[in-house]
Amino acid sequence: MLEDFIRSVFQGVPVGAVYALIALGFTLTYKTAGVFNLAFGAQAFVAAAVHWELHVHNGWNVAVSAAIAVLVVSPALGVALDFVLFRHLRAASSGARLVTTIGLLVAIPNITKLVLRFTRHPSTGGARGLFSGPDVVYRPFGDAYPITRDELVQLGVVVVAGLALGAMFRFTHLGLRMRAVVESPRLAELGGVNSARVGSFAWALSSAFAGLAGVLIAPTYQNVDAANFFELVIAGIAAAAFGSLVSLPRAFAGALGLGVASTYLATVLPTNSVLARGLKPSLPFVVLFVWVVIAPGLRGQRDVADPLSGVAPPPPASAADERSRSLTIATRGFWSVVGVIVAWAVFFAINDFWLKRIQVLLAVGVIFLSITVMTGIAGQISLCQAAFAAIGAFATTQLAVEQGMSVLVGMLLGGLVSALVGGLLAMPLVRIGGVWLALATLGFALFFHSVIAQLAVVNGGVSKPRTPRPLIGSIDFAADRAFIVLELVVFAIAATIVVLVRGGTTGRFLAALRGSEVAAASIGIGQWRSRVTAFALSAGLAGLGGGLLASAQQSVNYDVSFSPQVGLFFVVVVVTLGSRSIEGALQAAFGFVLFQPLILERALPWVINHIQPFLHVNAISGLFRDILFGLGALTFAKHPEGILEFQKRRSLNRIQRSIDRRKQQPTEAGSTP
Amino acid sequence: MSLLTAAGVSKSFAGIRALDDVGIEVAVGELVGLIGPNGAGKTTFFNCLLGMLRPDEGTVSFDGHDLSRIPTHRRAKLGIGRTFQRIELFGGMSVREHLLVAERAHRGEGRLWKDIVGRGRVTAAERERADAVLDRLGLLADAERPIESLSLGRGRLVEIGRALMTDPRLLLLDEPSSGLDHQETEELSAVLRAVNLDEGVAILLVEHDVAMVRALVSRVFVLDFGTLIASGPTETVFADAGVRRAYLGAES
Amino acid sequence: MSPLLELEAVDASYGPFRALFGVSFSLESGSALALLGANGAGKTTLARVCTGLVAPTAGSVRFDGVDFSDRRAFEFARAGIVHAVEGRSVFATLTVEENLALALASGRKRSELAVAIDEAYALFPRLGERRRQIAGTLSGGEQRMLSLARVLVDRPRLLVADELSLGLAPIIVDEVYQTLARIREAGTTLLIVEQHVSHALAIADTAVILERGSVGYIGPARDARAHVGV
């Protein structure tokens, strides 16, 4: 036993060192820039990609290439992010800033791939490791405890970087100034601090840390891929949470502990059991979830308001819709015409390819309504909506295939199971709120991904059961067009529920809680019940949509439709296109499903090729879809109702005003003598 | 008859005694003031009354109910309303919506299935009640305005209106005149007096504006360094030498 | 000799609203000016223009004869202008000592800084007792002392004090104004924005009364009372 443990320490400390590097960088970003930076992994990816390009592809010297990636490219990226983005988001809520970093997380790796023409590349020309050539193994403590050169380098860099950071905070005023700027840049300016410069420096520093992590970690994977960094960052955050995001030493200790614990766990659990295979990679997520729920320091940790935030005037309240009857009738008429044309196309004109897409679109639309409830109505960011949808999809399939239940009943039960899981999950979480809630849901999503979704009882095992289409009495929905009608009915019912809840007691209580929790409590609204209700309803809708999607595709495409990364993208698409309304959810579903095949691959190239003869464009890369929506999410802080929604409202109000003016003119002319 | 009774309330933070054996009583329909220098423990005491903090010792009871195990949001149902020193309104709502949601919180039960079958919407009776209160506060003309466009003085009135929708028997007001100018303070005082007279709502006013306290309340409690140093009819307390030393200074 | 602070035809906006319309006044070195007016008259915006937090959209701000209209707030601070802002004016997440270190650091060496901080504790022993306490947990009066301690130690050229009496008990307000008098004796010029008219007028030589963003009265403080109308 003891020997097992010592071996775990030797194997686990290098793993922990990697976590520590991320935990330190993450804590640094939070302390000095005030941002809960989920895009940290994306920043690390940029440095790794640049390093790969220079070192492996172009054969530059390791040290030169790494220095350029870590000391030039990364800080420049950090300064650019501060300058273009985060400097302007200081007054935004922490939730809005979190969404911004999720947008970056989606956009940055894809931009990098586009710019460097970079797809998955083998890390170091085939061999893994920091240096070219095979790794060197040392055995100073006997054969049982080998240490590799790469591990020693990683460990050494982490220790040096950690000490340097600690020294900076301890012995210079820079750390103090950075913390002051985070709390209130204007108050710091009144103390003679150049806030803009200190803020940029903080971003450069933390981005360099991300770059360092990227360059050190990427070669230990088979490929240089952003997805690897994402899970590592979550593990790093779990370690950072141990230090409540303020203490560097505790974050460091937490990271090492986590590394050793996950290695030890792998040794003691029976090999090859699902638990052993699933729990080792998912231990950080479990730890993160549990820690967020139990840690007293995180609970009730609220943002300290900037006392001078009032210097910049608040954004104008989102324009209230005061439309005249005629305009309302006109817009309704317009949409009815569009609806009729689409319906005609669906039933008489389009081929199988598009029919399949539209089936997916409607099912995804129901899933997106769950985000309307969660984010648009309850004002919470949940990052496990895809997991809820997966629960519905798996439950529907298992109930139909194993229990022989009617598929429609299976979908409803799947929604209920999902609602139950959502409600239970919410119970300990809703009191915490804000970014921690978002993070705990992400922990759950990753845990679901690496453990639950791998269980044979859940996914049906290797046989991959087919999800059947519903059959009600004599009506068979196996035909695509019939199924679309069924989906429309389900979507309409779900949308009606969302609208009724939004205007009803639950929705208005949630709006009050979103405005001010203490004031809501003062009139008798407790947050617990309303928010757990919202969570359960949202999870239920996601589960229903997931079941519908599985039935539409006639199988559960877990990796394509329900993985945690897909779940993040769900949130990005919905908040970009409108999380407050039914239209918003539909637009988001359109963007998610049809934007690429319809706009990028067909409509845009057609337009480009027809307006000019010089440049011939084939299909435009799907990377652009991810980049566009990722960048779109950056506007969330400014337009929480979604940019499309904002633009639509603005132009409608403009039309309304011009109608009003035209109406007024004759009377004015008549009244002037 | 006593409505609110706090007896022997003590509270320490990290060894520092913020409140030491503080007891007050507010009778039904009474207008009472609570004053004291900064750091005297007024905010701590206020939070103990509201359940934001749990006192180390002592009891708080309201209308015969012991409040110690009742969470903040349940106290509203018993008939305790409040306003905030730093104004707390629901961003994104109109003035009327503030009152309507308070009305629903007070009378409605908020079951999800009721919303789903379409019985969660605002009713005509609720709207009528809200408009009656808005009218009394002189806010009817602003009913449709988004809350962000209101001045601080009007916002404070909305807070009072929101609290009134829950049929309170006691209003706890935390420095309501803070940040208001002279005219706004006068308007506020008039509203409070009317609310007290017409509906018999008892008011506990924590305030620094000596003129306002004197004009409104009949009894005053004075806190200093966590203990009650004086209580009694307003003019007697303001004439007290100890109070002048601890609180009023040269001004009086 | 040019006046210490001089505003000429200053316009300023708060978002889409114009808050100041052609405000002009000047402040001689060593004097004290009271800035009065109803809520929404533009007092706070004007104070912010005087310390660089808000940039004027037209007109000029000159400090010691130098045009400061386009400069940023930290440059005003480094030139010797201190702004005690309305409400909380200390960093709530930093300790008392860190607040002082931050405020007093500019232009001092490490050893000089320690001396300066000790000087602040000597002036306000209560702060010394609480040096490791997070400033956000101080009472309103103690926070006010913390921001004034820096002014007393640093002896800036100009102090812009915005609503110092807000939310303070009368006796603390007295103390704050006694401190202001000491600050003035030490040679600092004062610009006092106040709701509490009587206190401000007692210490000021000149008064400016703002009415809807314009100067409604400018003249000796003793004659201002009649114009306040309250």
Side-chain angles (χ1 to χ4, degrees):
Chain A
M1 273 320 263
L2 183 67
E3 198 181 320
D4 276 350
F5 182 73
I6 296 175
R7 192 178 298 121
S8 304
V9 171
F10 271 88
Q11 289 173 357
V13 164
V15 179
V18 169
Y19 294 164
L21 201 55
I22 294 165
L24 289 179
F26 195 80
T27 305
L28 183 72
T29 323
Y30 189 74
K31 251 176 112 152
T32 63
V35 175
F36 206 93
N37 187 10
L38 279 185
F40 193 82
Q43 286 167 271
F45 171 73
V46 173
V50 168
H51 179 57
W52 186 93
E53 191 68 23
L54 295 178
H55 174 54
V56 180
H57 194 225
N58 292 332
W60 291 30
N61 177 286
V62 181
V64 175
S65 157
I68 288 177
V70 176
L71 299 176
V72 180
V73 175
S74 293
L77 176 64
V79 171
L81 288 179
D82 177 48
F83 199 76
V84 186
L85 209 55
F86 289 102
R87 182 173 295 189
H88 313 287
L89 293 183
R90 288 217 168 95
S93 72
S94 52
R97 279 185 298 206
L98 183 78
V99 171
T100 306
T101 65
I102 297 174
L104 287 175
L105 175 68
V106 172
I108 290 179
N110 289 310
I111 293 174
T112 312
K113 286 179 196 165
L114 209 64
V115 171
L116 295 179
R117 297 175 190 288
F118 192 88
T119 42
R120 287 177 187 224
H121 281 302
S123 287
T124 336
R128 293 160 78 177
L130 296 178
F131 308 97
S132 37
D135 204 352
V136 184
V137 181
Y138 306 103
R139 292 189 169 77
F141 306 102
D143 284 347
Y145 311 116
I147 306 174
T148 69
R149 185 180 57 187
D150 281 5
E151 287 171 351
L152 274 181
V153 170
Q154 282 174 343
L155 202 57
V157 169
V158 172
V159 169
V160 169
L163 288 177
L165 259 193
M168 189 197 77
F169 275 101
R170 179 132 180 72
F171 297 115
T172 72
H173 270 118
L174 199 58
L176 192 58
R177 270 184 249 154
M178 289 195 276
R179 281 161 62 204
V181 170
V182 168
E183 187 181 330
S184 170
R186 292 194 181 89
L187 206 54
E189 289 244 325
L190 291 181
V193 173
N194 187 344
S195 291
R197 212 161 69 190
V198 171
S200 292
F201 180 78
W203 270 99
L205 186 67
S206 71
S207 189
F209 243 79
L212 189 63
V215 168
L216 277 183
I217 294 165
T220 59
Y221 283 93
Q222 210 79 57
N223 299 303
V224 180
D225 185 15
N228 296 332
F229 288 106
F230 176 64
E231 295 194 3
L232 266 181
V233 166
I234 304 306
I237 295 173
F242 269 115
S244 305
L245 289 191
V246 283
S247 161
L248 294 172
R250 273 169 62 199
F252 196 96
L256 291 188
L258 209 53
V260 173
S262 61
T263 318
Y264 183 65
L265 216 60
T267 15
V268 288
L269 284 174
T271 41
N272 279 332
S273 69
V274 177
L275 263 185
R277 265 184 294 132
L279 209 53
K280 189 188 169 207
S282 70
L283 182 74
F285 318 136
V286 177
V287 167
L288 176 64
F289 184 87
V290 173
W291 184 250
V292 166
V293 170
I294 62 167
L298 303 181
R299 240 190 283 201
Q301 200 181 46
R302 291 272 179 267
D303 296 339
V304 176
D306 177 356
L308 283 174
S309 58
V311 172
S318 53
D321 297 304
E322 281 178 25
R323 283 177 217 168
S324 62
R325 258 183 83 75
S326 57
L327 189 60
T328 313
I329 291 169
T331 47
R332 283 199 186 146
F334 173 77
W335 284 114
S336 310
V337 171
V338 170
V340 168
I341 292 172
V342 170
W344 173 81
V346 166
F347 288 103
F348 301 107
I350 61 179
N351 61 21
D352 269 8
F353 176 84
W354 296 107
L355 277 180
K356 295 259 182 288
R357 289 286 183 290
I358 286 177
Q359 287 173 34
V360 172
L361 186 151
L362 286 169
V364 166
V366 176
I367 297 178
F368 283 3
L369 283 177
S370 81
I371 301 177
T372 310
V373 172
M374 184 71 79
T375 304
I377 299 178
Q380 308 274 15
I381 310 285
S382 155
L383 302 177
C384 61
Q385 297 304 101
F388 290 146
I391 293 175
F394 283 134
T396 304
T397 309
Q398 290 300 85
L399 288 173
V401 174
E402 297 291 324
Q403 311 294 327
M405 220 175 256
S406 145
V407 185
L408 215 50
V409 176
M411 277 179 206
L412 291 176
L413 282 179
L416 278 181
V417 171
S418 186
L420 197 69
V421 173
L424 285 174
L425 195 66
M427 282 181 188
L429 289 183
V430 289
R431 275 183 216 286
I432 304 161
V435 285
W436 291 106
L437 179 130
L439 210 60
T441 57
L442 186 57
F444 173 74
L446 289 164
F447 171 73
F448 181 87
H449 172 70
S450 50
V451 177
I452 302 200
Q454 313 299 328
L455 298 173
V457 258
V458 174
N459 63 22
V462 280
S463 64
K464 275 231 140 202
R466 290 178 64 79
T467 317
R469 287 282 174 88
L471 180 73
I472 304 172
S474 59
I475 315 169
D476 189 352
F477 291 97
D480 287 339
R481 292 197 165 90
F483 190 72
I484 286 178
V485 173
L486 178 73
E487 281 186 303
L488 276 174
V489 171
V490 174
F491 183 85
I493 292 172
T496 311
I497 289 176
V498 171
V499 169
L500 287 172
V501 167
R502 187 176 56 194
T505 313
T506 310
R508 287 188 290 138
F509 281 10
L510 288 167
L513 284 165
R514 219 168 52 201
S516 163
E517 282 172 22
V518 279
S522 82
I523 52 172
I525 300 173
Q527 59 161 332
W528 197 77
R529 181 166 147 188
S530 299
R531 287 196 166 146
V532 170
T533 306
F535 235 89
L537 177 64
S538 169
L541 285 173
L544 181 67
L548 210 54
L549 183 58
S551 185
Q553 299 184 319
Q554 294 179 26
S555 73
V556 183
N557 284 333
Y558 179 79
D559 288 330
V560 182
S561 306
F562 303 110
S563 74
Q565 272 90 346
V566 175
L568 283 178
F569 196 59
F570 281 177
V571 173
V572 162
V573 177
V574 177
V575 301
T576 301
L577 294 177
S579 62
R580 295 272 166 93
S581 61
I582 306 303
E583 274 167 83
L586 260 186
Q587 286 157 5
F590 179 88
F592 185 71
V593 179
L594 288 183
F595 187 74
Q596 190 175 342
L598 191 66
I599 310 283
L600 287 181
E601 289 173 4
R602 292 187 173 74
L604 259 182
W606 187 87
V607 171
I608 293 172
N609 295 336
H610 277 77
I611 53 172
Q612 45 85 36
F614 312 108
L615 187 73
H616 185 79
V617 180
N618 290 321
I620 297 172
S621 159
L623 288 177
F624 276 104
R625 178 189 75 156
D626 298 14
I627 293 172
L628 270 177
F629 287 122
L631 294 179
L634 307 187
T635 61
F636 179 69
K638 212 168 170 194
H639 304 299
E641 72 272 33
I643 27 175
L644 216 60
E645 200 62 35
F646 168 75
Q647 295 294 352
K648 205 164 55 189
R649 236 181 253 183
R650 197 168 66 171
S651 42
L652 275 177
N653 283 354
R654 246 182 229 156
I655 296 171
Q656 182 67 52
R657 271 201 300 277
S658 74
I659 293 175
D660 291 348
R661 261 202 303 279
R662 215 162 290 160
K663 268 188 198 154
Q664 271 166 9
Q665 265 163 4
T667 44
E668 268 174 286
S671 64
T672 35
Chain B
M1 198 192 107
S2 165
L3 187 64
L4 176 81
T5 313
V9 173
S10 299
K11 179 82 193 168
S12 299
F13 297 107
I16 300 167
R17 216 160 167 79
L19 287 177
D20 190 9
D21 192 22
V22 177
I24 66 161
E25 258 183 38
V26 181
V28 174
E30 201 184 9
L31 249 166
V32 181
L34 175 67
I35 61 171
N38 298 86
K42 291 190 307 293
T43 307
T44 309
F45 185 62
F46 206 79
N47 285 335
C48 285
L49 293 183
L50 285 160
M52 318 277 277
L53 288 173
R54 179 168 294 177
D56 300 335
E57 289 163 48
T59 56
V60 179
S61 61
F62 180 78
D63 197 20
H65 302 276
D66 179 13
L67 290 184
S68 55
R69 300 238 156 245
I70 297 181
T72 313
H73 68 271
R74 292 264 161 72
R75 298 184 185 211
K77 303 239 178 211
L78 292 175
I80 303 178
R82 71 167 296 191
T83 65
F84 297 83
Q85 185 181 345
R86 279 190 55 221
I87 203 156
E88 290 278 355
L89 293 163
F90 304 136
M93 285 193 189
S94 72
V95 171
R96 184 185 280 123
E97 281 166 339
H98 274 75
L99 275 71
L100 286 172
V101 75
E103 163 75 18
R104 180 60 61 87
H106 182 54
R107 267 179 245 272
E109 33 175 331
R111 303 264 169 217
L112 185 64
W113 67 266
K114 281 200 169 175
D115 290 343
I116 291 177
V117 298
R119 286 173 54 196
R121 306 198 160 226
V122 175
T123 65
E126 285 178 330
R127 210 183 144 94
E128 219 164 85
R129 264 182 54 83
D131 283 3
V133 171
L134 285 176
D135 195 21
R136 293 198 43 192
L137 298 175
L139 286 169
L140 202 51
D142 297 325
E144 302 287 338
R145 282 176 65 181
I147 204 72
E148 288 86 356
S149 69
L150 258 60
S151 70
L152 185 65
R154 307 242 99 186
R156 205 111 300 129
L157 289 179
V158 174
E159 275 197 328
I160 290 171
R162 182 176 64 189
L164 285 178
M165 292 308 286
T166 64
D167 286 337
R169 302 176 60 199
L170 171 70
L171 275 180
L172 298 173
L173 308 179
D174 193 359
E175 301 197 21
S177 83
S178 147
L180 304 192
D181 65 22
H182 190 73
Q183 200 194 339
E184 290 170 324
T185 308
E186 295 276 289
E187 278 172 25
L188 181 72
S189 297
V191 163
L192 292 179
R193 204 174 288 121
V195 164
N196 176 256
L197 274 180
D198 301 348
E199 297 176 20
V201 178
I203 294 177
L204 177 63
L205 181 69
V206 176
E207 189 47 77
H208 278 315
D209 188 331
V210 175
M212 184 185 179
V213 173
R214 278 189 149 154
L216 270 179
V217 309
S218 52
R219 265 192 328 132
V220 183
F221 295 94
V222 187
L223 269 181
D224 192 23
F225 288 112
T227 54
L228 210 56
I229 60 165
S231 63
T234 313
E235 288 313 315
T236 325
V237 168
F238 276 109
D240 181 88
V243 174
R244 299 175 76 123
R245 242 193 337 269
Y247 181 69
L248 295 172
E251 195 179 271
S252 53
Chain C
M1 206 185 111
S2 59
L4 186 69
L5 180 72
E6 196 176 9
L7 270 67
E8 209 178 286
V10 164
D11 290 356
S13 305
Y14 182 71
F17 309 105
R18 249 180 92 185
L20 295 177
F21 300 83
V23 173
S24 304
F25 67 84
S26 63
L27 189 54
E28 296 300 328
S29 185
S31 65
L33 182 141
L35 183 57
L36 312 170
N39 260 1
K43 299 191 300 287
T44 295
T45 306
L46 184 52
R48 286 168 175 170
V49 167
C50 293
T51 59
L53 276 179
V54 169
T57 50
S60 72
V61 179
R62 275 195 296 281
F63 184 71
D64 222 2
V66 182
D67 188 10
F68 264 63
S69 313
D70 298 327
R71 300 211 184 178
R72 307 231 326 263
F74 75 91
E75 295 173 282
F76 279 69
R78 287 179 188 176
I81 301 176
V82 168
H83 188 172
V85 299
E86 184 184 348
R88 178 160 67 80
S89 55
V90 298
F91 291 100
T93 56
L94 306 182
T95 64
V96 170
E97 184 137 325
E98 285 172 335
N99 265 290
L100 283 171
L102 197 70
L104 295 170
S106 72
R108 284 193 174 83
K109 291 192 190 113
R110 194 161 265 277
S111 55
E112 292 169 341
L113 178 60
V115 173
I117 291 175
D118 283 340
E119 199 181 326
Y121 291 150
L123 286 165
F124 296 101
R126 190 144 180 182
L127 295 179
E129 293 162 20
R130 291 160 191 251
R131 59 180 74 192
R132 304 247 170 270
Q133 196 172 327
I134 299 290
T137 63
L138 296 176
S139 73
E142 287 163 347
Q143 291 190 7
R144 218 46 59 83
M145 292 305 152
L146 181 52
S147 58
L148 288 182
R150 170 215 176 171
V151 178
L152 273 171
V153 174
D154 247 0
R155 293 190 192 150
R157 311 274 308 275
L158 171 66
L159 169 65
V160 177
D162 193 358
E163 302 276 5
L164 281 187
S165 66
L166 192 76
L168 296 184
I171 190 162
I172 312 276
V173 175
D174 287 349
E175 257 177 62
V176 166
Y177 271 89
Q178 280 159 22
T179 311
L180 279 184
R182 268 157 74 193
I183 290 171
R184 189 180 174 187
E185 274 162 32
T188 296
T189 308
L190 299 179
L191 196 162
I192 302 166
V193 181
E194 258 303 352
Q195 201 77 252
H196 257 264
V197 176
S198 53
H199 272 106
L201 288 179
I203 197 171
D205 323 299
T206 323
V208 169
I209 300 176
L210 281 183
E211 283 163 12
R212 290 190 194 149
S214 307
V215 174
Y217 169 89
I218 181 164
R222 58 180 178 280
D223 300 336
R225 212 168 258 280
H227 285 265
V228 181
V230 291

